[in-house]
Amino acid sequence: MKGPLFYSKILLFGEYGIIKDSKGLSIPYNFFKGALKSDEQVSEAAKESNNSLREFTLYLKELVLNEPELVSFDFEKLDSDIAEGMYFDSSIPQGYGIGSSGALVAAVYDKYATQKITVLENLTREKLLKLKVVFSRMESFFHGKSSGLDPLNSYLSLPILINSQDNIESTSIPSQNKEGKGAVFLLDSGITGETAPMVQIFMEKMKQEGFRSMLKNQFIKHTDACVEDFLNGNVKSLFGNLKQLSHVVLDNFKPMIPTKFHDLWQQGIESNEYYLKLCGSGGGGYILGFTQDFEKAKKALQGHKLEVVYNF
């Protein structure tokens, strides 16, 4: 038995800012994927995943008990599938900021939610928000606090534009130019990141007046501009705003950037060969890079593992 595939996602813009109502743009990333699966060959990883699903189910039962009007599941079927060894077979690296738990949440909702909102119906803003709330509650099991966006992206497999916390819509992004020199890429930090402690650091910083004002007047301003530029295909303006954003992140989000990447980050800003930004909550995993000339960026980042996500 193997269920439908659910893909990883990349939050191009909006990490941390969307907690405070900045714009955001999230796109599916089909390179990594996962599916619910049962088979005879049981590996250690499958056993671990099966145990994790068992714990997740206990959490979902409590959720349904506390918020019966929000969501309901066919627990009889879910329990019996888990008893038969079902696990989540996934190539999505965990702790890399590309939605490993989001894909799992989407897969469980898709298969076991009763009266679910399906991808095929007319997805009004109300339905999208309802899905986001359901996914946010479900994914909180993994992160302590979740926006619900990762599972939403994985479930719909569409780019999602976040205008504010209660205003989201599916959107289309300019089609890729496969011949283009410019690229959005992932840089592998080689370290696993943990979402919860990073969010904790952010929440602590939010208690400082200066940090709040920087967030509003610089971080959110440049994030919003990047989203607009990207969607409208304004490449020149996009890279101007990206440079500013990369600078703001380096100055104010240092704990979220693995130490050995501080110099590389600075080097990109000074040389204009590439700009780096956080991918997800940071602390490790992938770092997101933008360049107008991928060959140049590759030379400058020699010795690092890069994967192209989008060409322009």
Side-chain angles (χ1 to χ4, degrees):
M1 174 208 97
K2 185 158 186 173
L5 289 169
F6 290 91
Y7 298 108
S8 54
K9 66 85 209 156
I10 291 172
L11 185 62
L12 283 183
F13 304 105
E15 70 293 334
Y16 291 109
I18 52 178
I19 299 177
K20 290 289 155 208
D21 267 356
S22 79
K23 283 186 184 291
L25 180 64
S26 183
I27 61 170
Y29 182 44
N30 301 357
F31 186 73
F32 295 114
K33 47 196 164 295
L36 289 168
K37 197 174 170 188
S38 297
D39 54 30
E40 298 304 307
Q41 305 299 316
V42 184
S43 64
E44 275 312 304
K47 280 184 196 158
E48 220 172 282
S49 170
N50 177 264
N51 280 333
S52 170
L53 276 173
R54 202 174 297 256
E55 284 169 28
F56 184 38
T57 303
L58 290 174
Y59 169 83
L60 293 179
K61 287 178 178 172
E62 206 164 299
L63 175 68
V64 170
L65 211 60
N66 294 331
E67 301 186 60
E69 68 300 328
L70 182 70
V71 64
S72 56
F73 298 94
D74 181 348
F75 284 121
E76 205 173 308
K77 175 111 181 69
L78 179 53
D79 284 336
S80 106
D81 286 348
I82 288 173
E84 282 171 22
M86 180 177 74
Y87 63 99
F88 190 59
D89 182 29
S90 167
S91 66
I92 308 169
Q94 289 187 356
Y96 262 66
I98 57 171
S100 56
S101 58
L104 168 58
V105 166
V108 169
Y109 177 85
D110 179 63
K111 187 159 187 199
Y112 299 101
T114 53
Q115 298 161 326
K116 67 178 182 184
I117 295 168
T118 71
V119 183
L120 300 171
E121 55 199 270
N122 174 17
L123 287 167
T124 58
R125 188 168 290 171
E126 284 68 34
K127 284 180 184 170
L128 281 173
L129 278 175
K130 167 92 195 259
L131 270 174
K132 182 175 175 282
V133 171
V134 170
F135 288 149
S136 152
R137 296 285 199 287
M138 287 175 72
E139 201 184 28
S140 292
F141 170 74
F142 299 97
H143 295 317
K145 184 173 170 37
S146 157
S147 67
L149 276 170
D150 289 6
L152 185 64
N153 207 303
S154 197
Y155 184 63
L156 301 177
S157 217
L158 292 167
I160 292 169
L161 171 63
I162 301 111
N163 293 304
S164 64
Q165 282 191 343
D166 50 10
N167 179 350
I168 54 174
E169 55 189 301
S170 58
T171 187
S172 56
I173 57 176
S175 41
Q176 295 202 52
N177 172 9
K178 288 291 184 191
E179 306 303 306
K181 287 164 74 173
V184 181
F185 61 90
L186 293 173
L187 188 164
D188 188 344
S189 73
I191 312 160
T192 305
E194 289 267 336
T195 301
M198 293 296 126
V199 173
Q200 189 58 45
I201 292 171
F202 175 77
M203 290 309 192
E204 277 304 309
K205 281 176 170 283
M206 282 302 287
K207 293 175 183 169
Q208 302 158 19
E209 172 76 36
F211 187 83
R212 287 200 302 275
S213 132
M214 172 283 304
L215 199 76
K216 181 167 173 254
N217 301 321
Q218 295 174 46
F219 187 78
I220 290 179
K221 184 180 120 186
H222 297 310
T223 296
D224 288 1
C226 282
V227 171
E228 291 296 323
D229 287 341
F230 188 87
L231 288 176
N232 295 317
N234 301 333
V235 175
K236 196 170 173 221
S237 172
L238 170 66
F239 276 87
N241 280 306
L242 272 166
K243 181 171 184 166
Q244 304 281 349
L245 185 58
S246 187
H247 218 304
V248 169
V249 172
L250 184 60
D251 289 347
N252 299 282
F253 290 81
K254 274 225 168 72
M256 287 77 167
I257 304 169
T259 316
K260 62 175 185 181
F261 289 94
H262 290 182
D263 289 348
L264 269 187
W265 203 286
Q266 183 68 38
Q267 190 183 304
I269 295 167
E270 285 171 9
S271 69
N272 297 316
E273 285 175 343
Y274 59 87
Y275 301 127
L276 300 178
K277 64 181 290 297
L278 295 173
C279 179
S281 55
Y286 286 119
I287 292 167
L288 208 47
F290 291 77
T291 178
Q292 295 194 69
D293 188 333
F294 187 61
E295 287 312 309
K296 269 191 185 164
K298 237 177 18 187
K299 278 201 188 92
L301 294 165
Q302 239 173 350
H304 292 280
K305 243 170 72 183
L306 310 181
E307 282 168 43
V308 173
V309 171
Y310 181 91
N311 288 97
F312 48 80

